[in-house]
Short mmCIF file of all heavy atoms in Angstrom, two decimals:
data_model
loop_
_atom_site.label_atom_id
_atom_site.label_comp_id
_atom_site.label_asym_id
_atom_site.label_seq_id
_atom_site.Cartn_x
_atom_site.Cartn_y
_atom_site.Cartn_z
N ALA A 7 3.82 -3.58 -3.98
CA ALA A 7 5.15 -3.35 -3.45
C ALA A 7 5.56 -1.94 -3.65
O ALA A 7 5.12 -1.21 -4.56
CB ALA A 7 6.10 -4.19 -4.19
N ILE A 8 6.26 -1.43 -2.61
CA ILE A 8 6.72 -0.06 -2.61
C ILE A 8 7.95 0.07 -1.80
O ILE A 8 8.23 -0.69 -0.89
CB ILE A 8 5.62 0.88 -2.03
CG1 ILE A 8 5.84 2.34 -2.29
CG2 ILE A 8 5.30 0.57 -0.54
CD1 ILE A 8 4.73 3.32 -1.99
N LEU A 9 8.79 1.00 -2.15
CA LEU A 9 10.02 1.28 -1.42
C LEU A 9 9.71 2.45 -0.44
O LEU A 9 9.19 3.52 -0.89
CB LEU A 9 11.14 1.72 -2.38
CG LEU A 9 12.60 1.61 -1.94
CD1 LEU A 9 12.96 0.15 -1.61
CD2 LEU A 9 13.45 2.14 -3.03
N ASP A 10 9.88 2.27 0.87
CA ASP A 10 9.60 3.30 1.84
C ASP A 10 10.68 4.33 1.90
O ASP A 10 11.69 4.24 1.15
CB ASP A 10 9.25 2.75 3.19
CG ASP A 10 10.41 2.13 4.00
OD1 ASP A 10 11.61 2.41 3.62
OD2 ASP A 10 10.16 1.45 4.97
N SER A 11 10.54 5.35 2.74
CA SER A 11 11.48 6.46 2.74
C SER A 11 12.88 6.04 3.25
O SER A 11 13.83 6.79 3.06
CB SER A 11 10.90 7.60 3.61
OG SER A 11 10.69 7.14 4.94
N SER A 12 13.01 4.83 3.92
CA SER A 12 14.27 4.43 4.30
C SER A 12 14.86 3.43 3.23
O SER A 12 15.82 2.79 3.58
CB SER A 12 14.19 3.67 5.71
OG SER A 12 13.52 2.49 5.59
N ASP A 13 14.26 3.37 2.12
CA ASP A 13 14.64 2.46 1.03
C ASP A 13 14.51 1.00 1.43
O ASP A 13 15.23 0.14 0.97
CB ASP A 13 16.03 2.76 0.52
CG ASP A 13 16.11 4.12 -0.24
OD1 ASP A 13 15.13 4.55 -0.78
OD2 ASP A 13 17.23 4.68 -0.25
N THR A 14 13.52 0.69 2.19
CA THR A 14 13.19 -0.71 2.55
C THR A 14 11.98 -1.13 1.66
O THR A 14 11.05 -0.43 1.59
CB THR A 14 12.81 -0.81 4.04
OG1 THR A 14 13.93 -0.36 4.87
CG2 THR A 14 12.46 -2.27 4.39
N VAL A 15 12.14 -2.29 1.15
CA VAL A 15 11.10 -2.94 0.31
C VAL A 15 9.99 -3.26 1.19
O VAL A 15 10.11 -4.03 2.20
CB VAL A 15 11.57 -4.07 -0.52
CG1 VAL A 15 10.41 -4.76 -1.29
CG2 VAL A 15 12.65 -3.58 -1.53
N ARG A 16 8.68 -2.83 0.88
CA ARG A 16 7.53 -3.24 1.59
C ARG A 16 6.51 -3.93 0.60
O ARG A 16 6.25 -3.38 -0.44
CB ARG A 16 6.84 -2.01 2.19
CG ARG A 16 7.65 -1.22 3.10
CD ARG A 16 8.06 -1.91 4.33
NE ARG A 16 8.91 -1.03 5.17
CZ ARG A 16 9.35 -1.52 6.39
NH1 ARG A 16 8.94 -2.63 6.92
NH2 ARG A 16 10.13 -0.68 7.08
N VAL A 17 6.12 -5.03 1.02
CA VAL A 17 5.26 -5.95 0.08
C VAL A 17 4.05 -6.43 0.93
O VAL A 17 4.18 -6.79 2.07
CB VAL A 17 6.03 -7.07 -0.47
CG1 VAL A 17 5.22 -8.01 -1.34
CG2 VAL A 17 7.24 -6.58 -1.21
N GLY A 18 2.94 -6.48 0.22
CA GLY A 18 1.70 -7.05 0.85
C GLY A 18 0.75 -7.41 -0.22
O GLY A 18 0.98 -7.13 -1.44
N LEU A 19 -0.30 -8.12 0.17
CA LEU A 19 -1.37 -8.43 -0.85
C LEU A 19 -2.15 -7.14 -1.15
O LEU A 19 -2.20 -6.24 -0.27
CB LEU A 19 -2.32 -9.46 -0.26
CG LEU A 19 -1.65 -10.88 0.05
CD1 LEU A 19 -2.73 -11.84 0.59
CD2 LEU A 19 -1.03 -11.43 -1.19
N ASP A 20 -2.72 -7.10 -2.28
CA ASP A 20 -3.58 -6.04 -2.65
C ASP A 20 -4.99 -6.26 -2.12
O ASP A 20 -5.98 -6.27 -2.84
CB ASP A 20 -3.62 -5.84 -4.18
CG ASP A 20 -4.18 -4.52 -4.64
OD1 ASP A 20 -4.16 -3.53 -3.86
OD2 ASP A 20 -4.58 -4.42 -5.82
N ALA A 21 -5.00 -6.58 -0.79
CA ALA A 21 -6.23 -6.92 -0.08
C ALA A 21 -6.01 -6.77 1.40
O ALA A 21 -4.84 -6.79 1.81
CB ALA A 21 -6.59 -8.38 -0.36
N CYS A 22 -7.06 -6.65 2.17
CA CYS A 22 -6.97 -6.48 3.61
C CYS A 22 -8.00 -7.31 4.23
O CYS A 22 -9.07 -7.70 3.65
CB CYS A 22 -6.96 -5.04 4.09
SG CYS A 22 -8.61 -4.44 4.32
N ALA A 23 -7.77 -7.64 5.52
CA ALA A 23 -8.71 -8.56 6.25
C ALA A 23 -10.03 -7.90 6.50
O ALA A 23 -11.07 -8.61 6.67
CB ALA A 23 -8.08 -8.98 7.64
N ILE A 24 -10.15 -6.59 6.53
CA ILE A 24 -11.35 -5.82 6.84
C ILE A 24 -12.20 -5.56 5.53
O ILE A 24 -13.34 -5.91 5.47
CB ILE A 24 -11.07 -4.50 7.53
CG1 ILE A 24 -10.38 -4.77 8.86
CG2 ILE A 24 -12.35 -3.73 7.66
CD1 ILE A 24 -9.84 -3.49 9.49
N CYS A 25 -11.53 -5.06 4.51
CA CYS A 25 -12.26 -4.60 3.28
C CYS A 25 -12.26 -5.60 2.19
O CYS A 25 -12.84 -5.37 1.13
CB CYS A 25 -11.67 -3.31 2.77
SG CYS A 25 -12.04 -1.92 3.99
N GLY A 26 -11.47 -6.67 2.31
CA GLY A 26 -11.39 -7.69 1.23
C GLY A 26 -10.44 -7.34 0.13
O GLY A 26 -9.44 -6.65 0.43
N HIS A 27 -10.71 -7.71 -1.04
CA HIS A 27 -9.81 -7.52 -2.17
C HIS A 27 -10.10 -6.33 -3.06
O HIS A 27 -9.86 -6.33 -4.19
CB HIS A 27 -9.65 -8.82 -3.03
CG HIS A 27 -11.01 -9.25 -3.57
ND1 HIS A 27 -11.51 -8.79 -4.76
CD2 HIS A 27 -11.92 -10.20 -3.13
CE1 HIS A 27 -12.70 -9.34 -5.00
NE2 HIS A 27 -12.89 -10.22 -4.04
N GLN A 28 -10.55 -5.30 -2.45
CA GLN A 28 -10.84 -4.02 -3.15
C GLN A 28 -9.48 -3.41 -3.61
O GLN A 28 -9.43 -2.73 -4.65
CB GLN A 28 -11.64 -3.01 -2.29
CG GLN A 28 -12.98 -3.54 -1.89
CD GLN A 28 -13.86 -3.75 -3.12
OE1 GLN A 28 -13.91 -3.00 -4.06
NE2 GLN A 28 -14.49 -4.92 -3.12
N GLY A 29 -8.44 -3.54 -2.81
CA GLY A 29 -7.14 -3.08 -3.18
C GLY A 29 -6.84 -1.67 -2.72
O GLY A 29 -7.54 -1.10 -1.96
N TYR A 30 -5.71 -1.17 -3.18
CA TYR A 30 -5.09 0.07 -2.72
C TYR A 30 -4.62 0.89 -3.99
O TYR A 30 -4.47 0.36 -5.08
CB TYR A 30 -3.90 -0.18 -1.86
CG TYR A 30 -4.25 -1.02 -0.65
CD1 TYR A 30 -4.26 -2.31 -0.65
CD2 TYR A 30 -4.59 -0.40 0.51
CE1 TYR A 30 -4.62 -3.11 0.41
CE2 TYR A 30 -4.97 -1.04 1.67
CZ TYR A 30 -4.95 -2.50 1.64
OH TYR A 30 -5.30 -3.19 2.69
N TYR A 31 -4.49 2.15 -3.74
CA TYR A 31 -3.93 3.01 -4.75
C TYR A 31 -3.00 4.06 -3.99
O TYR A 31 -3.09 4.18 -2.81
CB TYR A 31 -4.90 3.75 -5.59
CG TYR A 31 -5.80 4.74 -4.81
CD1 TYR A 31 -5.48 6.10 -4.75
CD2 TYR A 31 -6.94 4.27 -4.21
CE1 TYR A 31 -6.25 6.98 -4.06
CE2 TYR A 31 -7.71 5.22 -3.44
CZ TYR A 31 -7.38 6.51 -3.48
OH TYR A 31 -8.20 7.46 -2.69
N GLN A 32 -2.18 4.73 -4.79
CA GLN A 32 -1.32 5.73 -4.12
C GLN A 32 -1.86 7.13 -4.50
O GLN A 32 -2.24 7.44 -5.59
CB GLN A 32 0.13 5.60 -4.61
CG GLN A 32 1.11 6.50 -3.97
CD GLN A 32 2.53 6.27 -4.31
OE1 GLN A 32 2.78 5.44 -5.24
NE2 GLN A 32 3.47 6.84 -3.64
N ASP A 33 -1.84 8.00 -3.48
CA ASP A 33 -2.22 9.42 -3.60
C ASP A 33 -1.04 10.18 -2.96
O ASP A 33 -1.03 10.26 -1.73
CB ASP A 33 -3.50 9.70 -2.97
CG ASP A 33 -4.01 11.09 -3.15
OD1 ASP A 33 -3.47 11.81 -4.00
OD2 ASP A 33 -4.85 11.56 -2.43
N GLY A 34 -0.19 10.72 -3.79
CA GLY A 34 1.00 11.46 -3.21
C GLY A 34 1.88 10.49 -2.47
O GLY A 34 2.30 9.45 -2.98
N LYS A 35 2.13 10.75 -1.21
CA LYS A 35 2.96 9.94 -0.38
C LYS A 35 2.17 8.98 0.43
O LYS A 35 2.74 8.30 1.35
CB LYS A 35 3.89 10.83 0.54
CG LYS A 35 4.86 11.62 -0.25
CD LYS A 35 5.82 12.33 0.66
CE LYS A 35 6.78 13.07 -0.20
NZ LYS A 35 8.12 12.94 0.18
N ASN A 36 0.93 8.84 0.11
CA ASN A 36 0.06 7.89 0.90
C ASN A 36 -0.47 6.72 0.04
O ASN A 36 -0.69 6.93 -1.12
CB ASN A 36 -1.15 8.66 1.45
CG ASN A 36 -0.80 9.73 2.40
OD1 ASN A 36 -0.03 9.50 3.32
ND2 ASN A 36 -1.44 10.90 2.24
N VAL A 37 -0.64 5.60 0.65
CA VAL A 37 -1.32 4.50 0.09
C VAL A 37 -2.73 4.52 0.69
O VAL A 37 -2.85 4.61 1.95
CB VAL A 37 -0.55 3.16 0.39
CG1 VAL A 37 -1.35 1.97 -0.08
CG2 VAL A 37 0.78 3.17 -0.34
N ILE A 38 -3.72 4.33 -0.12
CA ILE A 38 -5.09 4.48 0.31
C ILE A 38 -5.91 3.23 -0.02
O ILE A 38 -5.75 2.67 -1.14
CB ILE A 38 -5.78 5.68 -0.44
CG1 ILE A 38 -4.93 6.95 -0.38
CG2 ILE A 38 -7.22 5.86 0.05
CD1 ILE A 38 -4.83 7.54 0.97
N CYS A 39 -6.77 2.75 0.89
CA CYS A 39 -7.65 1.65 0.66
C CYS A 39 -8.77 2.11 -0.30
O CYS A 39 -9.35 3.16 -0.02
CB CYS A 39 -8.23 1.16 2.02
SG CYS A 39 -9.50 -0.17 1.76
#
């Protein structure tokens, strides 16, 4: 979960349909697979 620049809550699974459940991390203002 993260709050975007418009202060909207964004939620998703820590997984994607392509890469599976490897997850994500944040690097500065970016979320990275």
Side-chain angles (χ1 to χ4, degrees):
I8 192 167
L9 201 61
D10 72 14
S11 61
S12 70
D13 290 334
T14 301
V15 174
R16 304 294 178 176
V17 178
L19 297 181
D20 196 20
C22 83
I24 297 170
C25 294
H27 57 83
Q28 299 300 315
Y30 301 87
Y31 67 94
Q32 186 172 9
D33 183 17
K35 294 190 181 226
N36 296 313
V37 172
I38 311 291
C39 174

